[in-house]
Structures are given as C-alpha cells and as structure tokens.
Amino acid sequence: MQKINEILSFIKDQYKTDDFIPLHVPRFRGNEKKYLNETIDSTVVSSVGAYVDQFESMMENIVEVEKAVAVVNGTSSLQVALRLAGVKAGDEVITQALTFIATANAIAYNHAEPIFLDVDLDTMGLSPKAVSEFLEEFGELREDGTYNKNTGKKIAACMPMHTFGFPVHLDEMITVCDNWGIPVVEDAAESLGSYYKGKHTGSIGLIGGFSFNGNKTVTCGGGGAIVTNVLELGKHAKYLTTTAKRPHPYEFFHDELGYNFRMPNLNAALACAQLEMLPKFLEEKRNLAQEYAEFFKSINIKFREELPDTKVNYWLMCLELGDKEERDNFLKLTNENSVMTRPIWTLMFRLPMYEHCHRDQQKNAIFLEERIVNIPSSVR
C-alpha cells in the first residue's frame, strides 16, 4: 500500500490536481475553434471540403507517403486497407490476439478469418518469429500465394499492430512475409508519431491505417486515415471510401462495391488543427514518459520504454507488474483513488466470436495480459 501511495502522489503531482485523473484526454490548444468556425461559416461541413484535402496533405507529409486518404474512423481504414491488399471472403489474415477489437473486426468485415499468433515481449506486437514458425508448419506456397495446409484457405495478408505506439520488428516481419508472398498491412492506429529505423509507422508495409478517435494523441472526435506509398492503391482507397462513384457533374453511377467512409469536413478541420500541434504534444508526452521512467525505476517497477532503432509516441504509457494478482490490486487501488488505470485488452481468442480461430500457444501474449497496465498519459 505504501508503494501505491507513492505512485498516486507522483501521478497527481504530474497533473497538479487531486481531482480525478483520466487515462487520456484530448487537448485543444491551437486553431481548433478558428477552423471549426470557418467550416461552419462556409456551410461545407459534410464529406468534401478544403480541410479534408488539407488533412490528407498533412498526413502525407507527416508519415512521408505518396497518398493518404481521410476516412471516418480507424476501423474503416483497416477494413479497406485489407481489401486493397487483396483479402477476400474466405481468406485468412495473420494478426495478434493482444490487440484492440478493431484489428480482428476489420478482418471479419472482409468476411475473412484471423489467425492469432504470439507477440514479442519487447514490442508487445506481432512476433516475426511466431509468424515464421507458423508458416513453416502450416504454410503451403502456391503460384497465387500462400495457403494454410490445415484449412485450405489462402493466407492473404499479415496485419501487425503497433501496440500503444511501440513499433513491431518490421524488418524481420516484412522479410518473413515477402518470402511467403504475403502483403503486410500495418495497424498503425495507435502509433501516429512513432518511428521504426527512421521511417514512420504505417509507411513501411504495403498499406497502413491510423485512428483519430477521441482518446488518441491527436483527435478529431472520430476519424482515420489510410496511407500507402503505392499511388494507385491510394487512389483506389479514395474511390472505394467515397462510395465508388464515377466522376460526373450530376449523374450517379457506382461501378463497384464502395463504402460511405468519408471523413466530414467539420472533423477534418479539427484534425488539421490537432496535427499542427502534434510535434508539441509528442514532445510533452516524451517528457512525461522520461519522468515516469525515472520514478518507477526508483521504486523497482518496470516502465515500458522505446527500443533501440525506434522512436515511440508514448500514446498510452505502460507498467509491467509482477503477476496478475499485483496487477489486479494496482488497478483496484488506483481507480478507487481517482487515478484511472486499465489493463491491456482481453485477448481476442477469449471473445465468443473469435474463440474458434486458429492460434498458437500465445505464451507471451498471456504473460503480458496478466501484467501490463496503462497509466494516465494525457498531455499535461
């Protein structure tokens, strides 16, 4: 209890309050109201507008990609990204069970099925070694791709998720997947501002998806983005997410199944103002992470820090506790004392709609599920 009191006192001191401290809240300190008012005055508040175009241009510059496409949320960005990568009904997609539900749902929305493989302890993201071992045991390379020898289904994509903004070992992952002809789709929803070997997450695989939900580093309430360096894929993403309507001054003709996943101009205005603040927010979060790291080292609790060759956005900051009992006690006492903390997600294969899916032993994922907690991570 004494250690918990020290932790509570330290966190409250960081945020300079004795009131309730949430896990992660947005900060609106820039041009948000100005851009929103301009958009309202223009009456162009729906799914086209100057701020949608500006948002896409800003994302292309930040992530350093050929094309970024604004969409309504992060889940839709992943759903469409998988389709663009070639995932079809009846296919399988390799991913991790230690993830937010959107990762698995995006696969299911394509009428495909996830294969849940283990994560690495150091990244908390999909393990290239686990992927390689699975493919060596179950993969069958044919002329048109890799198939699962057990199910007979095509393994159409691999989708690692950068957990809490910590990049997976992407070089190794892409090498493994290239050997088997499997495209890598990055779930970069949580990792805006994170880098792997000098490259922004989301820009390294074939295609990536980001989220701008209300609890992300920058937000527009909802919102997402599809990013790619393959220009034709990016153009097709824009076409599909804007209902696949052929350009025409007044006629409506749609020549393939598209989606009404358009980001409203009103949300894009908010997103542009937030993206302007991204460097400042990242700097402040890294300062907080450094202070956390020094404090938790002094009381012998493991604070998760970035690995060499990576730069982490520290979206949600993590502690690794000794075991499940210690984790549960920590969660109970902090939340009872007005400091919001939470466990990592329930592993996907424990959920009723995914319990039948193919998976490996999940040794590392289970270890982390029992020990990882998030602590308040908002920009101060």
Side-chain angles (χ1 to χ4, degrees):
M1 185 62 188
Q2 178 59 36
K3 187 175 285 190
I4 289 289
N5 285 335
E6 289 183 54
I7 294 168
L8 291 168
S9 177
F10 183 81
I11 293 174
K12 289 181 178 182
D13 184 59
Q14 297 309 300
Y15 288 95
K16 295 180 172 50
T17 183
D18 288 322
D19 296 333
F20 173 74
I21 301 174
L23 196 67
H24 199 285
V25 295
R27 303 296 188 200
F28 301 115
R29 299 175 179 170
N31 289 312
E32 290 88 356
K33 290 182 180 179
K34 177 185 175 184
Y35 294 170
L36 286 171
N37 284 333
E38 287 176 359
T39 307
I40 292 167
D41 290 342
S42 76
T43 74
V44 183
V45 298
S46 192
S47 53
V48 295
Y51 280 115
V52 174
D53 297 338
Q54 182 176 325
F55 168 77
E56 292 177 340
S57 178
M58 292 177 78
M59 282 296 294
E60 288 163 6
N61 290 331
I62 291 167
V63 185
E64 296 186 19
V65 289
E66 288 294 318
K67 184 64 176 175
V69 177
V71 290
V72 71
N73 54 48
T75 307
S76 63
S77 77
L78 299 176
Q79 178 182 344
V80 177
L82 288 167
R83 176 173 164 181
L84 290 164
V87 175
K88 296 180 174 62
D91 289 343
E92 295 176 333
V93 175
I94 292 171
T95 192
Q96 59 205 66
L98 187 75
T99 187
F100 180 58
I101 188 68
T103 309
N105 283 353
I107 297 168
Y109 294 156
N110 282 283
H111 305 286
E113 192 161 287
I115 297 170
F116 295 120
L117 300 184
D118 208 357
V119 296
D120 285 320
L121 288 175
D122 57 356
T123 68
M124 301 179 286
L126 187 62
S127 168
K129 183 173 183 289
V131 174
S132 180
E133 289 176 350
F134 176 86
L135 291 171
E136 289 294 336
E137 183 174 358
F138 297 104
E140 180 182 315
L141 190 57
R142 303 179 188 174
E143 286 187 6
D144 63 336
T146 293
Y147 286 75
N148 186 330
K149 288 188 288 191
N150 266 16
T151 64
K153 295 180 178 181
K154 185 176 183 179
I155 302 174
C158 175
M159 186 160 65
M161 195 273 278
H162 303 300
T163 306
F164 304 132
F166 289 81
V168 304
H169 294 297
L170 278 168
D171 278 358
E172 294 93 332
M173 184 70 69
I174 289 172
T175 296
V176 170
C177 290
D178 281 353
N179 288 339
W180 290 89
I182 298 172
V184 172
V185 176
E186 291 181 67
D187 182 346
E190 302 174 356
S191 63
L192 184 66
S194 293
Y195 292 81
Y196 175 80
K197 296 186 177 180
K199 295 180 180 179
H200 200 295
T201 56
S203 72
I204 303 168
L206 177 68
I207 194 165
F210 289 90
S211 171
F212 295 85
N213 189 41
N215 65 347
K216 292 301 191 292
T217 304
V218 299
T219 182
C220 53
I226 301 166
V227 300
T228 182
N229 278 306
V230 182
L231 189 57
E232 288 306 310
L233 276 183
K235 289 179 180 178
H236 198 194
K238 185 70 172 179
Y239 189 63
L240 288 177
T241 56
T242 55
T243 74
K245 177 183 177 295
R246 283 188 185 175
H248 193 279
Y250 51 85
E251 289 186 354
F252 290 84
F253 187 84
H254 309 261
D255 58 3
E256 60 181 310
L257 180 64
Y259 311 91
N260 189 4
F261 285 167
R262 299 171 289 186
M263 178 189 284
N265 197 43
L266 200 62
N267 293 78
L270 187 59
C272 290
Q274 286 273 285
L275 286 176
E276 289 174 351
M277 296 297 296
L278 179 62
K280 179 63 175 174
F281 288 168
L282 292 173
E283 179 186 0
E284 291 190 23
K285 286 172 76 66
R286 291 182 68 82
N287 290 340
L288 176 61
Q290 183 177 354
E291 291 172 29
Y292 271 150
E294 292 172 359
F295 169 75
F296 284 108
K297 184 178 181 180
S298 73
I299 61 170
N300 200 30
I301 291 178
K302 184 175 181 178
F303 176 80
R304 285 284 182 148
E305 296 184 80
E306 63 194 8
L307 300 174
D309 292 327
T310 72
K311 186 174 183 180
V312 173
N313 66 357
Y314 288 107
W315 169 53
L316 287 184
M317 302 182 203
C318 309
L319 301 181
E320 182 183 313
L321 301 176
D323 54 32
K324 187 176 184 299
E325 182 180 359
E326 184 179 347
R327 183 205 73 168
D328 290 347
N329 185 56
F330 180 91
L331 291 168
K332 180 176 184 293
L333 291 174
T334 49
N335 282 284
E336 285 178 350
N337 286 276
S338 300
V339 172
M340 185 178 179
T341 60
R342 77 173 191 195
I344 210 163
W345 313 278
T346 299
L347 297 177
M348 294 296 102
F349 63 80
R350 303 195 196 281
L351 305 181
M353 56 284 204
Y354 297 121
E355 61 187 6
H356 67 284
C357 294
H358 196 155
R359 64 179 175 90
D360 59 10
Q361 291 185 334
Q362 300 287 306
K363 179 181 176 182
N364 293 341
I366 293 169
F367 178 92
L368 294 168
E369 181 190 34
E370 294 178 347
R371 292 165 174 81
I372 294 293
V373 297
N374 297 127
I375 57 177
S377 307
S378 306
V379 172
R380 292 172 289 182

